[in-house]
Amino acid sequence: VEILVSILNVNDNSPVFKQTNLTRVVPEDTKVNTTIVEREDLSASDADLDIIFYQLTAPVPGTDGYFAIKGVNNPEIYLEKALDYEKFKLTTLVLYARDRDVGSPDPTHTATATINIIIEQADTKPPWFLPCTFINTDNSVCISSLYTGRVNISEMSTEPLTLEPGPIYAIDPDYTINEKILYSIVGGNTEQVFSVDSDTGNLTLNKPATSPASYLLQVMATQVNNIQKYSIACVEIKVINKSDHAPYFGSRIYNGTVAVGLAPGSFVFHADDPSRPLMITAMDDDFPDV
């Protein structure tokens, strides 16, 4: 008697990844749709020769939607949304491999692989002049204030000018790169009265300012590695007459008097002469005719 025996393949093996823990460093400026992990590095095998179904999850809050797989049967991971180093600097992805499709009523075996993604900051931002004020919630754009200073007319000084709210200073906001910044004056420097130190940003006089008109300089901060990464700041320099004397009051003490119940804005009168409004005066010997 010839007996034919057919061996039925029972699903008794779980999928197996070649690597269960991988790490990839991804530059911040990586283009969308770029492959992050190749299919060959993530494909799982199954001793039962079952078709493998994959699912990718991003359990770290705020990092969902940036990475995806090519298909339910293709575990290749690609970048689905542009990265931003300010939002997150690393994340962890979990890739599931199942020998049955999700929702199948048949018994299913599952394996997992962990993919660690480290975001590498890229040179994406132009220099920022400090101090500056952020104008958006993610702190990606910072607008600087107007720098202001003054010089005495027809007077030469070799010291760096004192400016408000501080000296001219710019940084590379891509702080892990921290590219060197160079400074230059690109506008408003009539008759080349001013110069700026290309390394420090210190503003100095080339020659005395002979006109009483103010100067509105445009100072450019440029990254050494890329001249297209630059910012412009405005510097207003007022030209004033030299002051050799401090102002002073005509009297050290002024005495006044007011009546109870007077409305706001009412005059205060001299204590010695209630019919004459109290006046406080100051003089400056630099302006004897004023």
Side-chain angles (χ1 to χ4, degrees), residues 3-75:
I3 300 174
L4 299 177
V5 178
S6 297
I7 308 300
L8 300 179
N9 188 11
V10 177
N11 183 19
D12 56 356
N13 292 284
S14 297
V16 177
F17 283 104
K18 289 188 295 184
Q19 303 178 70
T20 58
N21 197 299
L22 300 87
T23 299
R24 293 291 185 272
V25 178
V26 183
E28 178 188 11
D29 57 352
T30 298
K31 294 184 180 300
V32 172
N33 294 325
T34 298
T35 295
I36 304 302
V37 186
E38 299 288 346
R39 177 175 184 171
E40 293 74 16
D41 296 330
L42 290 173
S43 294
S45 59
D46 190 323
D48 298 317
L49 303 180
D50 291 321
I51 296 175
I52 306 299
F53 298 87
Y54 299 94
Q55 180 185 8
L56 185 68
T57 63
V60 178
T63 64
D64 189 35
Y66 285 88
F67 301 92
I69 56 175
K70 288 295 182 71
V72 68
N73 301 122
N74 183 353

Side-chain angles (χ1 to χ4, degrees), residues 34 125 156 180 275-276 287:
T34 298
K125 298 183 180 68
M156 181 63 186
K180 180 177 173 60
S275 64
R276 186 162 54 96
F287 305 94

Side-chain angles (χ1 to χ4, degrees), residues 15 19 48 50 54 57 74 96 101-102 111 142 150 177 210-211 214 223 236 253 259-260 272 281 286:
Q19 303 178 70
D48 298 317
D50 291 321
Y54 299 94
T57 63
N74 183 353
Y96 292 88
D101 197 0
V102 175
C142 202
R150 59 185 184 179
I177 300 173
T210 57
S211 170
S214 297
Q223 291 185 192
E236 183 182 26
I253 300 176
V260 175
D272 297 332
T281 57
D286 289 312

